[in-house]
Amino acid sequence: MYPLEWIEKLKVGRPGAAAAPMVISPVVLSLGLTSLLTDISSEMVNSLLPAYVVLHLHLSPMQFGLIDGLYNGFAIALLSLAAGIMADRVSRQKEVALVGYSISGVCKLLLLAVGTTYAGLLLVIGLDRLGKGIRAAPRDALISLNTPSNSFASAFSVHRAMDACGSLLGPVVAFALLALLPGAFDAVWITSFAFAGLGVAALWLFVPRSTPVPRDTTRVVTPLWSGLRSRQFLVLAGCGALLALTTVSDGFIYLMLQRKSATAAGYFPLFYVMTAAGYMLFAIPAGRLADRISRRTVFMSGYGVLIALYTLLYFQDHVGSGLLVGCLALLGLYYAATEGILMALTSAVVPAERRTAGIAIVATGIGLGKLASSIAFGALWQTYGMQRSVLVFATAMAVAMMASWILLRKHAQVPT
Amino acid sequence: MRSGTRIFLTLCLAAVLLVGGYGWYAKQRMSAHVVATPVAPVPSTPAPIAQPTEPPPATTPAPLHATAGTPHATPPGGGSVKSPPASATPAPPRQRLFFRSTTVDQHYGSVAWADVARPGQVHYVDSLRCEVVYAAGGHGICLSADRGVFTTYSASLFDTRDFKVKGSFPLKGIPSRARVSIDGTLAALTVFVSGHGYTTLDFSTQTLIVDVRSAATLADLETFEVRRDGAVIKAADFNFWGVTFTPDARQFYATLSTAGQHLLIRGDIAARQAEVLYENVECPSLSPDARHVAYKKRLNVDGRIQWQLQVLELASKREIPLAEKRSIDDQLEWLDDRHVLYSVPSKEDGSSPGTDIWSAAIDSKTAPVPYIRNGYSPAAERCRAPAACAAASP
């Protein structure tokens, strides 16, 4: 019809799907609001916890050590899988997510009650992580179930941008409170609880219950893994875990940046916030691009960005403040191009009635991959030092990336 | 949907009311919490000060930025203070005990000091707000938290006569321990550096030795060569903390933690070497006569870490557990050659930021006694030359 049609085709990457304006369902925005409020709540606490433990409770924090890794490991991985399967069974993603968000909210009150002893703190932190493990998959499933398949990536990116915005605001709120009420950590915990409560309320009030997916009525019991045995899904989950295995955890990146820059004494929290800022800024453009061109391309480019960052870290002995900001922005860009996009890729290959379990499996694979990578990188660092370790990881990632690019070729043509 | 929005807005209002109400309550509690400060019983055994000569009175009294606290009551408002009730012209202090005030009032976090002979009479130096403080040889170190959206930390070195800051530098983490050598030339400090990011409670330590005059870092203990039974040991999991200087200020004792062990090391600053002496010693503190090391011994009680206070007689390697049965997480300070000081949270559940300073004799029988209420980080100032310690008379 129009002579410009071929340009449209080129832009969209496939015929028929016109570059529609981004339409984000109010459900996704509500879930974003929930995450924003919850992140304000949890980052308020996280930004203060180290100083609170040492300076306020006069406890030495050495013994907390590995606990976090354990919590993030098997226990929660298994629980989030179980929660995901259950949520699919009864189509109750919303309710399961509510439980997860509520547990984390209640933790803020528990912090007030028992958070003044080692045992109490460990219990509260563990419960908080548990809540996080339970809620993530059903929430992501709700995002995809309320979004047409051709804008999955956009929907996830809007949610992730709002989420990152909450992580930025949390420390600011905590600081403002402590400036007004010096030393009143209990007031911070109460405020954090209030934000968490509003987050739960937003989810409860604004997100409709998911409609049960019509099932094949001839079969009484659907087997557990039906819909999750497709080659496409397994390859995707495998590639996700493989790439996570070759990813250096943020903690180590920050440590390297701190060692290489003279300016960065005690500014770890600032590193974190700058990464979140980059994530927030780049998420939506990356998501739109993924829906228009190809999710696979954007997803793989994210890891390309990370390899660039590792190479930079390898060759650069001294990192000035400008380069430091650049590195943290690259890290934010990597998150923007991969995290939500992978969930969009997953949602596209998992049938609706298995969506939560599918997302939970991919997320668990990534979690275990990250845990293994942290242990491996720590061991490499001890033996061969920082520079050589990052080179090894950069090389491994390049290999993993090439393998994934080939393995994921079918995902480039997933009908969306 | 409409009603949903209405309920959500109502909940927002409720949240604002909750936060506002609690904030108001916290504010009230703070202003109402101007507690009577130090009502300190003198230690049961009147501590004989191991100073052969009385420091002579300061010839030129330096200006003192401290306000004198009243010994037994706080005037309403806690502001200006009338003349001390006891003697009109009190004798210059024999020896001063520096500490951090944890009274929840306008002095919270300030450096405070009291004559060890009159621990009930506290003077505040409100210009110095610290998390950890130490003083010896006429010089003090103050590790402080500069609160902001991102709390940063710094160290200041000050003169203990006029409390003027002579130098400062930024710290890489949360302050933990500080010491100054008896000649006032060297300072040591330990901070907690959060190693693996921000949301985890995963820490490592950094311990530095600092030149007091120039405020320059002389050494990071991680760069020292450590020997154990003659052989050099090295591992990436090395963490050092709790330095205590020898009287000659050439050597020090400290804790080295590696592979789950907590080792007592003795280091030589000029040679940048250290050797392992003993196991299971944390936060050593050398007595003024250099014969004993007081420390906390790590015990595992029902899966939780407990610290028992002990004293190690260096010559005989004899360990003396102190009569203090609570778990104490502090680097001990020597009041004199027979008594140690340490801080204990005022409330066991940690519901208050307050801590008290207790005194214990170095035997297994004498029960510890409270020494100064609402204090933390005690430092009994000692000097090689008494004139260097001479405090301005109030």
Side-chain angles (χ1 to χ4, degrees), chain A residues 118-343:
Chain A
Y118 283 128
L121 265 176
L122 286 183
L123 179 84
V124 170
I125 293 166
L127 264 179
D128 188 60
R129 298 285 141 91
L130 179 79
K132 207 171 177 172
I134 291 178
R135 74 191 181 219
R139 178 203 62 209
D140 284 349
L142 281 173
I143 292 174
S144 67
L145 290 174
N146 286 286
T147 302
S149 64
N150 63 353
S151 36
F152 276 165
S154 305
F156 276 109
S157 66
V158 167
H159 173 267
R160 296 305 196 260
M162 292 177 83
D163 190 286
C165 180
S167 339
L168 284 179
L169 290 177
V172 178
V173 174
F175 161 66
L177 268 171
L178 279 188
L180 282 172
L181 304 162
F185 284 90
D186 52 343
V188 178
W189 307 156
I190 287 279
T191 311
S192 167
F193 172 72
F195 275 110
L198 289 180
V200 172
L203 175 62
W204 178 46
L205 295 168
F206 299 141
V207 177
R209 265 194 65 178
S210 33
T211 40
V213 180
R215 283 171 199 227
D216 188 354
T217 43
T218 52
R219 264 197 279 167
V220 188
V221 182
T222 38
L224 206 56
W225 303 109
S226 76
L228 295 176
R229 273 163 57 188
S230 73
R231 188 183 167 272
Q232 274 190 330
F233 172 74
L234 292 178
V235 162
L236 186 66
C239 288
L242 182 71
L243 287 164
L245 191 66
T246 59
T247 306
V248 181
S249 86
D250 289 358
F252 285 117
I253 299 265
Y254 295 163
L255 207 59
M256 278 189 263
L257 286 173
Q258 195 184 34
R259 296 233 172 141
K260 284 168 187 272
S261 64
T263 45
Y267 281 96
F268 260 62
L270 197 59
F271 290 7
Y272 172 85
V273 164
M274 283 162 96
T275 311
Y279 191 179
M280 185 179 81
L281 287 175
F282 296 129
I284 295 177
R288 294 219 64 186
L289 202 65
D291 278 338
R292 286 188 175 202
I293 298 174
S294 147
R295 289 171 196 157
R296 178 182 75 147
T297 310
V298 172
F299 179 65
M300 294 321 298
S301 325
Y303 283 95
V305 166
L306 208 53
I307 290 183
L309 176 63
Y310 294 170
T311 318
L312 203 77
L313 282 173
Y314 178 72
F315 284 110
Q316 207 74 29
D317 284 329
H318 179 78
V319 175
S321 46
L323 196 57
L324 181 70
V325 174
C327 287
L328 294 169
L330 280 184
L331 198 59
L333 180 60
Y334 146 73
Y335 273 114
T338 55
E339 215 270 337
I341 310 294
L342 179 59
M343 291 306 147

Side-chain angles (χ1 to χ4, degrees), chain B residues 78-319:
Chain B
S80 63
V81 165
K82 285 152 239 135
S83 60
S87 53
T89 48
R94 256 190 341 171
Q95 186 189 12
R96 288 181 294 175
L97 180 84
F98 285 84
F99 58 94
R100 171 187 195 252
S101 168
T102 63
T103 314
V104 187
D105 63 1
Q106 76 272 28
H107 300 306
Y108 182 77
S110 290
V111 169
W113 64 272
D115 186 344
V116 289
R118 289 189 296 278
Q121 201 169 330
V122 175
H123 309 258
Y124 298 99
V125 188
D126 285 333
S127 59
L128 288 169
R129 303 265 170 172
C130 319
E131 304 299 329
V132 177
V133 65
Y134 198 82
H139 294 273
I141 184 166
C142 163
L143 309 185
S144 53
D146 313 314
R147 304 206 180 277
V149 176
F150 311 108
T151 304
T152 56
Y153 305 95
S154 62
S156 321
L157 298 157
F158 63 90
D159 190 308
T160 59
R161 284 179 291 187
D162 58 8
F163 301 107
K164 287 216 170 84
V165 174
K166 303 288 184 193
S168 61
F169 53 93
L171 296 174
K172 277 203 173 175
I174 305 169
S176 172
R177 313 283 178 218
R179 281 295 185 269
V180 176
S181 64
I182 192 168
D183 61 358
T185 58
L186 297 175
L189 60 93
T190 301
V191 297
F192 288 111
V193 183
S194 44
H196 293 198
Y198 160 62
T199 51
T200 64
L201 288 170
D202 190 0
F203 286 81
S204 61
T205 60
Q206 187 189 45
T207 297
L208 302 176
I209 293 178
V210 178
D211 177 54
V212 168
R213 190 153 308 174
S214 64
T217 302
L218 289 178
D220 183 330
L221 290 202
E222 298 221 353
T223 63
F224 275 45
E225 185 184 79
V226 184
R227 286 173 185 276
R228 189 173 194 181
D229 302 322
V232 174
I233 56 168
K234 180 134 192 76
D237 74 341
F238 270 18
N239 274 310
F240 295 88
W241 61 85
V243 165
T244 181
F245 291 105
T246 55
D248 63 5
R250 288 161 187 275
Q251 296 194 315
F252 64 89
Y253 292 83
T255 306
L256 160 61
S257 141
T258 178
Q261 288 183 307
H262 300 90
L263 309 167
L264 176 68
I265 57 163
R266 185 175 57 211
D268 187 292
I269 296 157
R272 314 230 157 191
Q273 285 179 336
E275 57 172 326
V276 175
L277 299 181
Y278 210 70
E279 270 179 43
N280 208 349
V281 170
E282 261 184 272
C283 286
S285 174
L286 189 65
S287 64
D289 62 9
R291 287 172 53 207
H292 293 100
V293 166
Y295 63 98
K296 52 178 197 183
K297 182 174 182 140
R298 188 182 283 240
L299 303 170
N300 197 331
V301 180
D302 302 329
R304 290 182 61 190
I305 294 174
Q306 302 275 312
W307 283 285
Q308 160 74 48
L309 298 187
Q310 303 234 124
V311 168
L312 174 70
E313 197 175 55
L314 285 169
S316 66
K317 292 269 158 77
R318 189 167 62 103
E319 280 184 41

Side-chain angles (χ1 to χ4, degrees), chain A residues 47 63 68 116 180 182 186, chain B residues 22 29-30 198 200 305 349:
Chain A
S47 65
Q63 45 189 314
D68 193 50
T116 51
L180 282 172
D186 52 343
Chain B
Y22 198 88
R29 179 189 58 188
M30 244 170 228
Y198 160 62
T200 64
I305 294 174
D349 60 358

